[in-house]
Amino acid sequence: MATPRSPVKLDHPFTLPLMNTPASPSSSFNYKDYFILYVDDENKSLKYFTQAFSDKFSILTADNAQEGFELFKAHVPRVAILITDQQMPREKGTQFLERARAFYPYTLRILATAYADLQSAIEAVNSGAIYKFITKPWDIPQLEIMLLRGVEFYILQQERERLIREKMDILQELITRERILSLGILSAGLSHHLNNAMTAIKTFLDLAPLKLQSEIIDPHQLKDPEFWHDFHHQAQQQTQRIASLLQQLSLADPHQHTLMLSTVQLDQLLQQIIQHLRPHAEQKSISIKFTSSTTIPPLNTDEEKLEQALRLILKDEITVLPHQSTITIDLSHSPPNHLKLLISDDGPSLTEEALQSLFNPFFQRNDELPQEYGVHLMAAYLLIHQIKGKIQAQSHSPNKGTTFTITLPLTYPTDSEPSPPPIQSFLQNQQILESILSGKR
């Protein structure tokens, strides 16, 4: 039986000089975009590692675990590979890699060991702490190939995560859009029926004083004239409030396909809207800051719908924000064929759950407001949808506010929309809707 070889700590850990290895078959990868972090308490090892691989990779080095961990935290997520020696003072390599995994699990972790440390390496592999382990002395061409494949694997892993996030964002956007479209259809249908009922009520309230006089009844001779006067006044106020709400709901019909396309200079339109709303903002000491890039191409869109949407968003912002807040509007050209509009505030942030409900009717960002303000954002969402734009809302850390991101096509697309989902077809069927409202179904 062969006698096991004792571990020997070499000043120069390499058995072969650096050789020219074949180029990676995946030539599209830019390996220098990502870091390889090497942690070892032997400065010579760090020096030789840098000399061997700095031409192909971006190298970071540290001679102790604490400094290595600080470098790791500072450069994540660009650290593709983390290599550490097992035998280091104060903290073993496996312990260091376990800490790194807990902080950011996607970086590939490699443990460098001597022969006597193989058991530690096996335990680290089994526990999931490392991606691979290598033994000293190293075979440079073999190690280079391992690093190439490792960086490629990390890049592909990052790309996969990005695609998954994009898919989830798209899916969430589709779910949100379909829910709001369905609510918009229902709201518009209900608005039509309620408007008919409100017309009769409003007519009665308007004619009631005249009818009393025609019946030769003096309102001042009633037993409790103040009750009748106050009740009539309150009823008039509430009917006006409902009429205003129904007007907002009528904007929410996502199938108002009649468009009046024209050339719109969005920066000028925004300045007009801001000027109109500025007195309302000044009542709460809210400042509105507007910036735009030097060249903003014109839009081919429905100016009235776009103006209504932007006015509703800004009016809602002014209404819900506390005093002395700031609204920042930034307009830019998003090449090749879109404009990007950011409307940000420095008010209270919204939770993830609140963001999911932000465009739902009657959702309240401020509990002290009348409920009809919740309809503003739904109507704005659907108006922007009608002109083929997109709107999203993001919230930041506490007291960092909310940002609305609006993307608008420079030219209104002429391609036909796909047929609506079954739930929308159901809600669009006026006969079914009427039978539901009449209680026959």
Side-chain angles (χ1 to χ4, degrees), residues 55-106:
D55 287 344
K56 189 172 289 288
F57 306 102
S58 297
I59 305 297
L60 298 171
T61 61
D63 60 6
N64 63 79
Q66 185 56 39
E67 181 185 345
F69 194 68
E70 293 301 320
L71 274 174
F72 179 66
K73 291 193 298 183
H75 292 88
V76 159
R78 290 186 61 203
V79 180
I81 298 176
L82 172 58
I83 306 175
T84 183
D85 186 44
Q86 170 66 358
Q87 299 298 335
M88 290 193 299
R90 294 188 295 275
E91 187 173 27
K92 297 294 184 183
T94 50
Q95 296 171 326
F96 172 65
L97 293 178
E98 189 64 51
R99 253 203 315 156
R101 183 180 71 160
F103 181 80
Y104 186 75
Y106 301 105

Side-chain angles (χ1 to χ4, degrees), residues 215-247:
E215 297 289 341
I216 318 179
I217 298 177
D218 185 354
H220 297 289
Q221 294 180 354
L222 297 172
K223 291 183 179 180
D224 192 353
E226 290 186 2
F227 167 79
W228 293 104
H229 178 271
D230 291 343
F231 184 80
H232 183 266
H233 179 69
Q234 288 291 332
Q236 288 279 29
Q237 280 190 328
Q238 292 304 315
T239 54
Q240 290 175 2
R241 176 184 171 188
I242 294 172
S244 175
L245 175 59
L246 293 175
Q247 183 182 10

Side-chain angles (χ1 to χ4, degrees), residues 211-435:
K211 293 298 290 182
L212 283 174
Q213 291 179 4
S214 67
E215 297 289 341
I216 318 179
I217 298 177
D218 185 354
H220 297 289
Q221 294 180 354
L222 297 172
K223 291 183 179 180
D224 192 353
E226 290 186 2
F227 167 79
W228 293 104
H229 178 271
D230 291 343
F231 184 80
H232 183 266
H233 179 69
Q234 288 291 332
Q236 288 279 29
Q237 280 190 328
Q238 292 304 315
T239 54
Q240 290 175 2
R241 176 184 171 188
I242 294 172
S244 175
L245 175 59
L246 293 175
Q247 183 182 10
Q248 299 298 332
L249 287 173
S250 66
L251 295 176
D253 186 356
H255 291 286
Q256 290 182 0
H257 290 301
T258 304
L259 296 174
M260 300 295 292
L261 298 179
S262 62
T263 300
V264 180
Q265 199 66 43
L266 185 53
D267 50 352
Q268 297 177 9
L269 178 62
L270 279 166
Q271 289 172 350
Q272 295 172 9
I273 296 172
I274 293 169
Q275 189 65 26
H276 178 77
L277 294 175
R278 198 175 296 280
H280 182 33
E282 289 175 349
Q283 291 177 4
K284 298 178 65 175
S285 299
I286 292 175
S287 61
I288 303 176
K289 299 178 180 179
F290 173 53
T291 59
S292 66
S293 56
T294 53
T295 305
I296 299 296
L299 291 169
N300 176 245
T301 190
D302 188 311
E303 182 174 4
E304 182 179 356
K305 291 184 184 298
L306 179 57
E307 181 181 4
Q308 285 177 326
L310 297 177
R311 194 186 298 270
L312 287 171
I313 293 170
L314 289 173
K315 184 178 179 181
D316 192 84
E317 283 280 272
I318 294 169
T319 304
V320 302
L321 288 174
H323 284 70
Q324 298 182 334
S325 297
T326 300
I327 299 172
T328 303
I329 303 172
D330 181 68
L331 176 62
S332 61
H333 181 204
S334 181
N337 53 2
H338 285 85
L339 291 185
K340 186 176 183 180
L341 178 64
L342 301 178
I343 301 176
S344 306
D345 64 61
D346 58 356
S349 294
L350 297 176
T351 64
E352 190 64 30
E353 183 180 358
L355 284 172
Q356 298 299 327
S357 304
L358 187 60
F359 297 105
N360 287 356
F362 312 116
F363 172 79
Q364 295 294 293
R365 283 204 278 170
N366 187 332
D367 293 335
E368 298 177 0
L369 296 176
Q371 285 192 336
E372 61 262 27
Y373 278 99
V375 183
H376 288 178
L377 291 183
M378 184 188 77
Y381 183 101
L382 293 167
L383 285 166
I384 290 172
H385 172 75
Q386 289 170 26
I387 58 176
K388 305 297 185 180
K390 293 182 180 179
I391 178 171
Q392 293 177 315
Q394 300 89 28
S395 223
H396 315 289
S397 56
N399 299 319
K400 291 293 184 180
T402 302
T403 298
F404 293 93
T405 302
I406 303 170
T407 306
L408 299 166
L410 290 177
T411 304
Y412 184 84
T414 57
D415 56 323
S416 59
E417 292 187 347
S419 58
I423 181 64
Q424 292 189 29
S425 299
F426 172 80
L427 290 173
Q428 288 173 12
N429 190 313
Q430 187 68 15
Q431 291 181 347
I432 295 178
L433 182 57
E434 288 179 357
S435 63

